[in-house]
Amino acid sequence: MKKVEISTPYSTHQVPEEKLTSLGIYVTAREAYDMWKADPERIKILDVRTFEEYVLIGHAEMAANVPLAFPSYKWDAGKGNYSVVMNADFVAHVQERFAPDDTILVNCRSGDRSARAINALAKAGFTKAYNIIDGFEGDKVDDPESAFYGKRMRNGWKNSAPWTYDLNPELVWLPSEGELEILSQTLDI
């Protein structure tokens, strides 16, 4: 996996190409929390993980959830994981919450999905969407001697800033009746 050096407001990092965005603006989870804390009226947090991740794994208490994709509940043997169905209305739902010139700090599990989300938002005219490069869960511990080897316990929002399981209905994305019908047909449930 090729890594590229990027800069955040306070540091420099080597990140996989998958975390790069067309806007080229980045923060760590800790920097994102500090930015929000300094100006909570102006700084917005967007969590693009699935509803299930947002609810069951936890989230930043101020983060609005708009999933970039939905689990398909179909196993993808090639990936060794479940496949996903992209949220066709992702950009439209983000536009309902945020203006194109809002400062939005975008979070996912580890910084890859948030990069894809930012690229979609940039195409729609958003100009200040930062990728939280270590995401909510953080990067994997790469020390084979560690009891946490392979676990996402190195950095990330969950390991460096306050978070919660509590839900605020104003911040949780829920599909409309029409979207729910389309989603249930797409997922074959």
Side-chain angles (χ1 to χ4, degrees), residues 7 9 32 45 52-53 62 77 95 97 104 165-166:
S7 294
I45 311 289
E52 293 85 350
E53 290 173 292
M62 74 297 284
Q95 289 170 326
R97 288 189 176 271
I104 307 169
Y165 292 113
D166 297 338

Side-chain angles (χ1 to χ4, degrees), residues 84-136:
V84 296
V85 176
M86 297 308 292
N87 180 355
D89 297 319
F90 170 74
V91 171
H93 286 300
V94 173
Q95 289 170 326
E96 290 169 3
R97 288 189 176 271
F98 305 114
D101 62 342
D102 282 346
T103 299
I104 307 169
L105 312 181
V106 185
N107 204 11
C108 68
R109 180 192 68 192
S110 57
D112 294 359
R113 259 179 296 174
S114 52
R116 291 192 304 270
I118 289 166
N119 290 338
L121 294 172
K123 286 179 183 174
F126 284 82
T127 58
K128 293 186 272 182
Y130 289 69
N131 190 9
I132 300 177
I133 59 171
D134 46 346
F136 186 75

Side-chain angles (χ1 to χ4, degrees), residues 33 36 43-49 54-55 58-66 97-98 104-108 132 136 157 162-164 166-173:
Y33 175 70
W36 174 83
I43 304 296
K44 313 298 181 188
I45 311 289
L46 172 63
D47 190 321
V48 300
R49 294 177 301 151
Y54 186 85
V55 170
H59 52 274
E61 69 180 74
M62 74 297 284
N65 175 236
V66 179
R97 288 189 176 271
F98 305 114
I104 307 169
L105 312 181
V106 185
N107 204 11
C108 68
I132 300 177
F136 186 75
W157 196 289
W163 60 276
T164 186
D166 297 338
L167 298 175
N168 175 343
E170 294 179 12
L171 297 176
V172 178
W173 177 85

Side-chain angles (χ1 to χ4, degrees), residues 49-53 67-74 81-87 113 183 186-189:
R49 294 177 301 151
T50 65
F51 174 78
E52 293 85 350
E53 290 173 292
L68 178 65
F70 307 105
S72 72
Y73 304 102
K74 294 177 184 160
N81 207 336
Y82 289 94
S83 60
V84 296
V85 176
M86 297 308 292
N87 180 355
R113 259 179 296 174
L183 189 56
T186 302
L187 300 178
D188 196 28
I189 54 176

